Amino acid sequence: MSFVPPLLQKRLCGGTAEITPPPPPSQVLAFRDTKTSVVVQWDKPKDGLEPLGYYIYCRETGTEEWQTVNNKPVTGSEFTVPGLQPGKEYVFCVKSVSDAGLSESSPETDPIVVRPAIACPSAPRGFVLLHCGKAEMTIGWKAPKHKGGTKILGYFLDQHDNSEPDWHEINTRPIPQRVCTVSSLQEGHLYEFRARAMNRAGVGEVSEPSDLFRCEEWTMPEPGPPYDVRCTEVRDCSLQLHWEAPLYLGAGPVTGYFIDLCEEGSEEWKQINKQPTATNHMKVSDLETGKCYIFRVRALNKAGVGPPSLPSDPVVAKTKPGTNEIELGVDEEGFIYMAFEAPEKNDSSEFIWSKDYEGPPDPDRVQTEEKGNRSKLILKEPSEKDLGVYSVEVTDVDDDISASCTLTKEEPWLVQILWCACDSPGASLCLPVIKLISGWNIDVLEKGEVRLWLEVEKLSPNAELHLIFNDKELTSTPTHKINFVKEKGLVELIIQDFCADDKGIYTAQLKDGKAKNQFTLVLMDESFPQGTRQKHHERDLISFPGPHFIENLTWKVLESCEVLLTCKVTEFLQHSILGAIFRGYEQSLCKCFAAVTIRRWFLLGRNFNKKGKFPDSVVILSVAPPALSATPLKIQPTEEGIKIYTDVKYYTDYMKTNWYHKEKQLGSRDRMRAGSTMNQIWLHILEPREDDKGKYTLELFDGNTAFQEPFKPWAGIPLPLTGTLCLTCCVSGDPYPEITWFKNEKVIEFKDRYKMDVKGSMVTITIERVCNEDTGKYSIYVKNKYGSEIGQVTISVYKHGEIPIGTEQEVPARITTKKPK
């Protein structure tokens, strides 16, 4: 800010007398002018000689560097600063200049956003008759081409009877809509109309008179004309056309619309669609870039096609410079978002988001955030309900500012993969990952100790480590010492007296802020004798995945919303980890290919590309033989009936599942529903009957070996006398309800063997050391100010092998049980 013109430098060097620099100007103000300029005004200094001129400086808010605006001094007290960025915010200051040099800076102006100055709007136009009765008319019109830089607050209308000399005002208060019904007219008379628009700057100029409309009742069977035909999302070869339905329906409801196109300067209209479209919008494609088009719409009902709408404004099929599209991505919190930045907007402008062009998205499913010229639409809990077209428009601007994007099943990275991640309310698996430097390594130390270690990038002091061995978390002990050196990214486990009990799956789960990752090592050595110590051959201690085995990991999303991973196996050892993990798939492995279908990601990095390939160390699988990891069958009462299930480590569709009842294979029935998730296989029996009792067997078959687990329900709940029984109910309400438990219609006192626990919406009572006395009907009663509900279940406790008998009783879960005598 010490710039001095060369001319003044010569003047200053010409004499030796001390000259005092001039005082700075005062009252510096900045005013909106155009979308690229701002007017700066100031008052001359009150003291001293009048300056030779002034220099103006500007600075974009958020930066520190001042820029000189003018090359030579301004002699007046006002200057229009050109070449500013639309929508950006600036501050300005001014310096006086005299023979003595430059003054100090004036006080800065208040920050100002570069937008056109507010002015009165131009005149409305395009009047059309939309409906007519014996003594009233409904007319519509188009908005002004120039809105004056702010929102149109309303319109004033005048009418003129062609048989009279004077105009008469229709309304004294502005009408916010662009449709108005005018009453008390004379049947058979001709009328014309005119209008003025109003905004914050005042009332604009009056429009040209409309055509003469005759006041006579419409009786034609065809529908009236659609109206307000407009174009959005104008691009080089396409645009989106919108219109409003006709107000006069004729002999029946509108069943569709035909769209006509005409090149500007031509009178030949061409119908675009052969079949009528049922919606009030349509995308028009295959336009010729640079050509100017006009559109009109005709409505159809059972009687035929009605008159055309008023033609749209001419529109050039060309993407304007500075046009932005909707940005689609995943934010730092892991939620899918769509963001749009307007190249310009006014103080009153709004971002209007729409789903499938039918109105705003469901507010329960989305959340909007706005900052400056940017609007962000966030999907709260993405699901297939959110598929569709999302569009956004900016209001109160003269030029069209709009865009759209489509969420489809063809966007696997965004839709299907994230929605398969069932653990997260958005896309919480799509968070930053901790970078792996060196995968699992195995060293045999001098004293025979085995050291397992891996190295990741440098971690913060708040980083966390959970070391899991065969589904149980390890803690550091003298025989299994865990070292976690965060500043070096080192994870280390030193095992003394390594033996067969130490074989299995080791997983290091790391978390550092929002970044996560996990790394799995599987130690398998079928030839290693149990109970002895020996050094191990490195080829028998292989980590998974490892660079010696996996190449060209690719993926694709199946129609079933599953992800198919395919990899090339470059080496196959009989005792390698691949042989251990993919039991039953050795035939396909020998062909040097392996495939696994998983229902969700264990880890998914953000920076993979859309071609179906992952960068190194992004996806880590932890897979175990499903058939060998199933738990015994269990039973669970549900609202619809009874659920028999088994928990599995991992289940894929490559496994074949068969259910048997009394040694007979079950087929598909209305009351028998079999299914699975990634961690559970189940059979749901709806409305159980007496003939549903008996032995149930689940058979899992992986292609080579079968696994069977029998289960015999359910004359009650067979428990050992030292067992523990848990009854759980999901409770919700606002306000949260009061909860009371009953046994045989008496309030349960929670002491001794009876305990109650509430975690969120789950309410559980636990009965320890279950005995025959615990047989009975249990009820939960919940109540708040809006009402109450009761849930019931009957429990029978008996010795193993006995079948309780008694009278039948219906319980709310629709399970028929029997009370013991």
Side-chain angles (χ1 to χ4, degrees), residues 17-28:
E18 182 178 349
I19 303 177
T20 304
S26 59
Q27 299 294 324
V28 182

Side-chain angles (χ1 to χ4, degrees), residues 133-183:
K134 292 181 180 180
E136 64 180 20
M137 289 180 174
T138 300
I139 58 171
W141 59 91
K142 292 182 180 180
K145 285 188 176 181
H146 303 290
K147 299 177 178 60
T150 186
K151 182 178 183 179
I152 299 295
L153 300 177
Y155 299 88
F156 294 96
L157 270 75
D158 299 330
Q159 70 180 53
H160 176 229
D161 188 328
N162 194 42
S163 63
E164 299 177 358
D166 299 327
W167 285 82
H168 302 282
E169 66 180 17
I170 295 174
N171 59 304
T172 57
R173 293 185 177 182
I175 301 171
Q177 301 86 9
R178 286 184 288 109
V179 174
C180 179
T181 299
V182 184
S183 305

Side-chain angles (χ1 to χ4, degrees), residues 1 82 100 277 337 369 467 484 512 665 761:
M1 296 177 62
T277 179
Y337 72 87
E369 297 177 358
L467 189 56
F484 183 28
D512 192 3
Q665 183 173 348
S761 62

Side-chain angles (χ1 to χ4, degrees), residues 230-232 238-243 257-260 271-285 295-297 357:
R230 60 191 183 91
C231 302
T232 64
S238 65
L239 55 83
Q240 189 72 30
L241 197 67
H242 307 260
W243 60 90
Y257 299 92
F258 290 105
I259 291 85
D260 301 331
Q271 183 176 303
I272 296 176
N273 53 326
K274 295 181 180 180
Q275 298 297 324
T277 179
T279 61
N280 288 30
H281 53 84
M282 191 178 84
K283 184 170 184 177
V284 182
S285 303
F295 300 90
R296 70 182 186 185
V297 183
Y357 301 105

